[in-house]
Amino acid sequence: MSNFLGWEKVAKIIKDTLAFNERLNSTQKESVNAILNRIANTGVIIADEVGMGKTRIAVELIHAVKQAGGRTAIIVPTTLGFQWQKELNDREADLAPQHTVNSLWRFMSAWADGDKQEHWDKQSVILLSQNFANWRIGGNSHSSRWALLPEVYAQWRKAKNNRLPNGYNSHEDLKYMDAEYCARRIVEQTYYLSNSDPRKKILYCIIENFEWGVNSFGGDNFSAGSEYRNLLEKTVGLGLGSFDLVVIDEAHKSRGESSSLSRILNEIIIQNDNGRRLAMTATPVELNVEQWQQMLNRIELSESDQQPILKSVDNYAKAVAKLKLYWKVDEQSRLSFQRAARAFENSLKPYLLRRDKRQDPTIQQFHSVSNLPINAYRKHTQVEIKVEELSEQWKQIVCSVEGLSAASIMQDATSKRARLTLANGHGIAAIIDNSAYSSHEDDDDELENDLNNDDSKKLQRAHWWKKQITEVYASGDESLYQHPALLKVISEIENNLMLGQKALVFGKLTKPMRILVNLLNAREMLRRLDKKEFWPQTKVHISDKENDDSEVHAAKFASKQLGLNWSIDEINDRLKRQYEKHANQVDQTKQHLIENIEHSISLLDTRCEQLFKAFKKSVEQACSEEHAVLTFMTRAIYELSDSSDFNLTSEEVAQGFIDLMGAVTAENEGDADGDGQLDEKEASKLWPCIEARVKEEYEHVRGGMARLMYGNTSAASRRMLQLGFNRKNSFPYVLVAQSVVGREGLNLHQACRFVYLLHPEWNPGVVEQQIGRVDRLGSRWEKEFYEQQDQGGELPFIEIKQVIFKGTYDEYNWQVLHARWDQLRSQLHGVVIPISERDDAFSHYYDELCSAAPDFTP
């Protein structure tokens, strides 16, 4: 039986302290109250715009549920576990769990010591990765990955009949103690529950459908989609226990029924009878209005309750489509829209809360002083690459790609890729890399023999156009180093840097992104060398892998582009001379690093103090007098500081150590006994991991003015990049992020207000998430706006720069995106008609329609 005292108790706990809660602003408090008015009866969707503080609202509810004796499961994207732990711990010291359950191994590890540690079902708050249910189980999988299901059946038989099933002791597969301990725990906790308890019902389902026998064992019985896989998921759910609140972060993700997130919600998570779901997403709909149904399913709204909502959604979408065509001339379309908007709002409002930037006091003030529309604090501009402005070489390439497309009728992947990715060069590079035309020389006899073969003629024409492309450049990488889109973006970014503005760049294809990073760094390196300024690098590096990871190409092309024409040897000589001076400074500074931290040790909390002691001990015990880790730590602390030299106070050095520890370790990491503290023994055990992470980040001496964040970037490195990027004078100044990695969860707003969209997306929800990395509470834009109000000058904007290669498929892609973006804004942002269509003659209609747009403010 659940110990949960109910939602009335939760409401009382929150309302007794809400007025004095300094963690929440006024609109967040309104959202909390609105949730309390709804959640006793239904699940709730928090659809606040990106950067408005959804997590803090959810944490307040989670905290109250715990105080009321309830349990919460928080299902998060894998990369966001660290940030959830931080938010939970900031609310209450022991509110956050020690680990995110991201695998079967992590789940089973709770029983590694039998009953000596707190099991999942006894923890008030559990963090689950959205990828948790992506179990790869096959015929060769070790029994540890599936033994829990037969073990639960066996332990139930023992509890019921006082004996294990026949042949239990002869099954080698079942001699896995973690599974046995877990199964015992599940049966002990479930066996004597009332038959109405959801856990008892699931246990009976498992027992009735699992058949003990020869064919019931082996990983091949537990593959995705199998009956036993489904039973195993339910068994794991019993191991986690039942929940009173289920929070789904980024609830728009993985909408398919077979996705890991859907299986977690539908098969693994067990809710108590009065359990509720809280779905969090800035983009409940992204591509089409039908996605409302998927979102309502996430909060378990019944089909009968959904029907009138979905009807109003459909009517509203049709009214908006008609309105966009006739809003200036047809009064009936305006009236129909207003009726549909009211119905849409009224049907969804019992389940949906949304605060958007229109409620933000800073944006309201910007709107007031600028006389611009409420959303105009964001400025969208195009970085255009026009064919007529290209070099003769690139005009030839564009022509050749179009010719290739026509010749092949897009029937082969290479030709299609070349046309679809002309704007970033990905397909062109692949053609050049993969072609070996010397072995495909066409002679007259061969052409004559194939005159009547249409397919052969198409193939020959395609080969000819490909040959024209390869003749322009010798290698794929070199073609990218001179790609006009990349060079245009570099020029724009360097203009930002000259004005002291950092830049966040989003892209999809890793190769062009690497080239962009390498060129930005090479150009900045050469400029600084030319001015005899310091650059943190000893030589131009040559990769052991692909050429696109080599700095040699970048240095050569950068030298030509800047008119320096230095050889690699000359560059290396200059780098070596200037770095030796810097190394001497590091050597002198590191001798006093520990001493400086000790002088201000009072700034360190208990956790950081224990880590500092472990650091000091490792230095004292080092056999080498060089103390390599001391060098890395010195470089890390000083490079992450906002100082451009080595003149830091002891307080600044100590704060640098605190920040570094926060970046390279996860919240509660190393706390083996789960007491919320890090003792001397735990810190000593954790320190080698910290050393390895700092070493990985700082061992390779190379300039990091621009950095790439992609799928293979470790979690620790991502936190280090985030820390540096959020400081105005620290590297990196340019962060190039792969969209799937950087678009959610990362706070990159404290020192940046420029976003470059290098590669177009199809999904406007993705772009909203990308822009949301810098459009957040406490952003640099916000600070600059208030500075402008005090000191005068030009109004600042959050600037979104879309890179568009005119006249290519890339331009069409952007047009589709903007059409979908308009639909998204009409659903959620109150922007029914694009601001570009507002003019003096019809401004009263425009403003009237905007005021009639659906509003889901609490």
Side-chain angles (χ1 to χ4, degrees):
M1 185 174 181
S2 172
N3 297 319
F4 185 46
L5 299 178
W7 293 106
E8 287 186 8
K9 181 64 174 177
V10 170
K12 185 177 188 309
I13 289 169
I14 291 177
K15 289 181 178 180
D16 284 349
T17 60
L18 191 60
F20 311 101
N21 190 322
E22 296 181 355
R23 284 175 48 82
L24 303 178
N25 62 32
S26 59
T27 62
Q28 289 169 334
K29 290 177 181 179
E30 290 170 0
S31 288
V32 171
N33 274 321
I35 291 170
L36 295 177
N37 292 335
R38 291 164 169 79
I39 202 162
N41 302 310
T42 183
V44 178
I45 302 168
I46 305 180
D48 293 349
E49 198 168 344
V50 174
M52 298 288 284
K54 294 185 290 294
T55 305
R56 288 207 168 182
I57 294 169
V59 166
E60 203 61 36
L61 187 64
I62 294 163
H63 176 257
V65 168
K66 179 185 176 182
Q67 289 192 313
R71 301 183 69 235
T72 301
I74 311 169
I75 308 170
V76 303
T78 302
T79 56
L80 301 190
F82 170 77
Q83 292 189 197
W84 268 95
Q85 285 177 316
K86 185 178 187 308
E87 286 286 351
L88 290 163
N89 269 333
D90 286 348
R91 181 61 181 87
E92 183 183 295
D94 61 347
L95 188 59
Q98 185 177 356
H99 301 292
T100 300
V101 187
N102 54 14
S103 65
L104 269 177
W105 174 85
R106 176 63 74 188
F107 169 79
M108 295 303 301
S109 69
W111 288 272
D113 295 325
D115 293 323
K116 295 180 182 178
Q117 63 190 92
E118 188 178 37
H119 299 140
W120 301 119
D121 63 340
K122 288 299 182 184
Q123 297 184 27
S124 299
V125 180
I126 288 180
L127 275 169
L128 276 173
S129 164
Q130 288 188 0
N131 292 325
F132 171 58
N134 282 337
W135 307 333
R136 295 181 180 178
I137 305 177
N140 296 323
S141 297
H142 190 269
S143 62
S144 61
R145 298 181 63 78
W146 52 262
L148 182 60
L149 175 59
E151 276 287 5
V152 165
Y153 178 88
Q155 297 304 322
W156 176 82
R157 285 283 298 272
K158 184 178 180 180
K160 181 176 175 62
N161 303 324
N162 202 30
R163 62 186 295 272
L164 292 164
N166 292 334
Y168 173 85
N169 292 317
S170 64
H171 271 291
E172 293 294 326
D173 287 338
L174 299 186
K175 294 182 179 178
Y176 179 62
M177 297 306 296
D178 292 5
E180 183 180 342
Y181 285 135
C182 180
R184 285 183 195 169
R185 174 78 179 178
I186 288 172
V187 173
E188 287 170 2
Q189 295 297 311
T190 312
Y191 190 80
Y192 294 105
L193 294 174
S194 69
N195 289 339
S196 62
D197 191 287
R199 289 168 291 174
K200 189 64 170 285
K201 293 177 181 178
I202 288 173
L203 179 63
Y204 278 157
C205 173
I206 292 167
I207 300 308
E208 291 170 2
N209 289 283
F210 180 79
E211 297 182 6
W212 185 273
V214 177
N215 296 324
S216 300
F217 304 93
D220 51 352
N221 292 312
F222 295 84
S223 60
S226 65
E227 181 184 8
Y228 280 4
R229 171 63 162 264
N230 178 255
L231 293 179
L232 179 61
E233 290 171 342
K234 294 181 183 299
T235 307
V236 169
L238 288 174
L240 292 171
S242 58
F243 299 95
D244 303 289
L245 176 64
V246 178
V247 177
I248 313 159
D249 193 14
E250 305 295 352
H252 60 278
K253 296 173 70 71
S254 307
R255 297 175 186 267
E257 287 299 311
S258 62
S259 71
S260 174
L261 176 56
S262 293
R263 294 200 306 276
I264 291 170
L265 292 170
N266 299 335
E267 305 297 339
I268 296 178
I269 288 293
I270 302 171
Q271 285 180 215
N272 292 318
D273 289 337
N274 292 319
R276 295 289 180 264
R277 290 186 180 179
L278 184 70
M280 301 166 55
T281 172
T283 51
V285 289
E286 301 166 287
L287 296 176
N288 53 66
V289 294
E290 287 77 13
Q291 291 180 331
W292 279 115
Q293 182 173 17
Q294 297 165 325
M295 193 55 54
L296 295 171
N297 287 337
R298 288 262 151 104
I299 61 168
E300 296 187 301
L301 197 62
S302 68
E303 186 175 343
S304 60
D305 287 335
Q306 286 189 34
Q307 289 308 312
I309 298 173
L310 297 177
K311 183 177 180 180
S312 71
V313 167
D314 184 57
N315 290 339
Y316 177 70
K318 291 176 180 176
V320 170
K322 185 176 181 181
L323 183 74
K324 288 181 178 180
L325 295 174
Y326 306 115
W327 70 274
K328 292 182 178 179
V329 296
D330 183 6
E331 182 180 4
Q332 187 58 47
S333 68
R334 295 193 293 270
L335 293 173
S336 296
F337 163 76
Q338 291 171 351
R339 288 193 296 269
R342 283 195 296 272
F344 176 67
E345 179 183 319
N346 292 336
S347 65
L348 267 174
K349 205 156 191 175
Y351 315 99
L352 177 72
L353 302 173
R354 180 176 174 85
R355 294 175 303 132
D356 61 34
K357 298 297 170 57
R358 289 174 292 178
Q359 286 81 50
D360 186 289
T362 305
I363 291 169
Q364 289 175 346
Q365 187 174 346
F366 178 91
H367 170 59
S368 175
V369 302
S370 68
N371 292 319
L372 294 172
I374 191 76
N375 292 308
Y377 73 98
R378 287 184 178 184
K379 181 188 289 186
H380 292 258
T381 56
Q382 295 184 355
V383 179
E384 294 184 349
I385 299 91
K386 299 178 180 178
V387 174
E388 59 269 24
E389 296 174 355
L390 300 181
S391 67
E392 289 302 315
Q393 288 178 313
W394 272 98
K395 286 179 181 177
Q396 290 177 40
I397 285 182
V398 172
C399 178
S400 297
V401 169
E402 291 298 320
L404 175 61
S405 170
S408 62
I409 320 180
M410 302 289 278
Q411 289 178 342
D412 68 282
T414 303
S415 303
K416 182 182 291 187
R417 190 183 303 115
R419 187 179 185 215
L420 299 187
T421 65
L422 172 63
N424 56 63
H426 183 72
I428 294 171
I431 289 174
I432 299 169
D433 287 341
N434 296 330
S435 295
Y437 287 97
S438 59
S439 61
H440 296 287
E441 292 289 342
D442 295 321
D443 56 46
D444 293 340
D445 292 336
E446 187 177 355
L447 289 173
E448 184 67 29
N449 291 335
D450 290 330
L451 273 176
N452 297 318
N453 189 322
D454 289 341
D455 290 338
S456 179
K457 286 191 287 185
K458 290 178 182 176
L459 184 63
Q460 291 162 19
R461 285 196 293 268
H463 278 318
W464 190 88
W465 284 115
K466 289 178 183 178
K467 187 176 180 181
Q468 306 315 302
I469 296 173
T470 59
E471 285 180 348
V472 178
Y473 293 106
S475 75
D477 290 326
E478 291 188 1
S479 70
L480 288 188
Y481 277 110
Q482 298 188 88
H483 194 284
L486 293 183
L487 294 182
K488 189 70 175 283
V489 170
I490 286 171
S491 176
E492 292 274 338
I493 290 174
E494 288 177 344
N495 288 336
N496 295 150
L497 296 177
M498 290 174 63
L499 298 173
Q501 296 287 349
K502 290 192 171 187
L504 175 61
V505 183
F506 279 104
K508 292 186 290 187
L509 302 169
T510 307
K511 193 166 188 176
M513 292 160 64
R514 283 189 188 279
I515 300 300
L516 177 63
V517 167
N518 283 348
L519 261 181
L520 281 165
N521 280 327
R523 288 165 64 95
E524 182 65 14
M525 173 183 71
L526 296 181
R527 285 194 196 92
R528 294 199 183 190
L529 290 178
D530 194 38
K531 297 176 183 177
K532 296 183 170 53
E533 295 177 356
F534 172 67
W535 180 256
Q537 192 160 332
T538 56
K539 66 177 182 178
V540 177
H541 296 87
I542 301 174
S543 173
D544 294 331
K545 305 174 189 175
E546 300 291 335
N547 282 338
D548 62 353
D549 198 31
S550 169
E551 296 177 356
V552 173
H553 277 315
K556 287 180 177 177
F557 279 96
S559 182
K560 293 177 183 177
Q561 291 162 6
L562 298 177
L564 296 173
N565 296 316
W566 293 345
S567 68
I568 297 299
D569 288 341
E570 185 175 355
I571 295 171
N572 282 337
D573 184 57
R574 289 172 181 261
L575 284 170
K576 182 179 179 181
R577 289 201 307 270
Q578 59 94 40
Y579 195 81
E580 285 174 352
K581 179 181 177 182
H582 171 78
N584 290 333
Q585 289 180 301
V586 173
D587 288 339
Q588 293 172 17
T589 304
K590 74 180 181 183
Q591 305 303 325
H592 304 286
L593 183 71
I594 290 176
E595 177 185 342
N596 277 327
I597 298 174
E598 284 181 325
H599 281 166
S600 299
I601 202 165
S602 60
L603 296 176
L604 276 59
D605 60 16
T606 303
R607 176 181 174 82
C608 277
E609 187 173 352
Q610 290 294 349
L611 290 173
F612 170 67
K613 289 177 180 178
F615 166 43
K616 181 179 178 181
K617 184 178 178 181
S618 75
V619 172
E620 291 172 346
Q621 293 178 346
C623 298
S624 170
E625 294 182 359
E626 291 298 319
H627 300 317
V629 173
L630 185 57
T631 301
F632 301 146
M633 291 291 294
T634 303
R635 288 187 56 213
I637 289 171
Y638 278 81
E639 286 190 23
L640 286 172
S641 73
D642 276 345
S643 173
S644 58
D645 53 31
F646 286 85
N647 297 320
L648 296 182
T649 65
S650 62
E651 290 85 358
E652 290 171 328
V653 175
Q655 186 60 52
F657 181 81
I658 294 169
D659 293 340
L660 181 61
M661 293 303 99
V664 298
T665 65
E667 201 83 22
N668 287 336
E669 185 178 5
D671 179 19
D673 56 15
D675 64 356
Q677 300 293 327
L678 200 66
D679 59 32
E680 183 178 352
K681 183 178 179 181
E682 291 168 334
S684 296
K685 187 174 181 180
L686 177 60
W687 187 255
C689 297
I690 295 175
E691 283 190 355
R693 292 167 189 171
V694 175
K695 180 180 179 182
E696 178 186 4
E697 192 71 16
Y698 287 93
E699 182 178 27
H700 302 290
V701 182
R702 63 175 66 189
M705 188 274 289
R707 290 288 300 273
L708 174 66
M709 183 189 293
Y710 68 120
N712 291 338
T713 306
S714 69
S717 290
R718 292 180 197 186
R719 292 195 293 269
M720 295 281 283
L721 289 173
Q722 179 173 284
L723 177 62
F725 191 70
N726 275 329
R727 297 188 169 195
K728 190 173 181 180
N729 298 318
S730 298
F731 279 2
Y733 292 159
V734 182
L735 184 59
V736 181
Q738 198 168 34
S739 177
V740 71
V741 173
R743 70 183 182 227
E744 290 164 348
L746 289 176
N747 297 325
L748 302 168
H749 60 294
Q750 295 175 25
C752 177
R753 60 178 176 86
F754 281 80
V755 179
Y756 286 81
L757 306 177
L758 187 63
H759 303 146
E761 300 277 355
W762 291 107
N763 187 337
V766 169
V767 183
E768 277 296 325
Q769 292 282 359
Q770 292 170 343
I771 298 169
R773 297 312 99 214
V774 302
D775 188 2
R776 311 182 75 79
L777 296 176
S779 67
R780 175 166 182 173
W781 169 79
E782 186 177 306
K783 295 171 188 173
E784 288 191 9
F785 171 68
Y786 285 122
E787 288 173 1
Q788 187 270 341
Q789 292 301 289
D790 292 336
Q791 303 167 14
E794 293 185 4
L795 279 171
F797 296 86
I798 288 177
E799 301 206 28
I800 299 104
K801 294 180 174 286
Q802 304 161 354
V803 183
I804 299 181
F805 204 126
K806 302 291 286 184
T808 70
Y809 187 82
D810 186 56
E811 185 175 15
Y812 169 73
N813 196 157
W814 279 114
Q815 291 170 357
V816 173
L817 174 68
H818 278 286
R820 291 174 173 175
W821 210 344
D822 287 343
Q823 185 181 57
L824 176 65
R825 291 191 186 103
S826 71
Q827 296 270 318
L828 296 170
H829 294 256
V831 183
V832 184
I833 307 296
I835 186 61
S836 58
E837 295 189 30
R838 186 182 188 273
D839 53 39
D840 292 339
F842 298 94
S843 60
H844 59 295
Y845 287 157
Y846 184 94
D847 295 341
E848 182 181 89
L849 292 170
C850 285
S851 65
D855 184 359
F856 299 100
T857 307

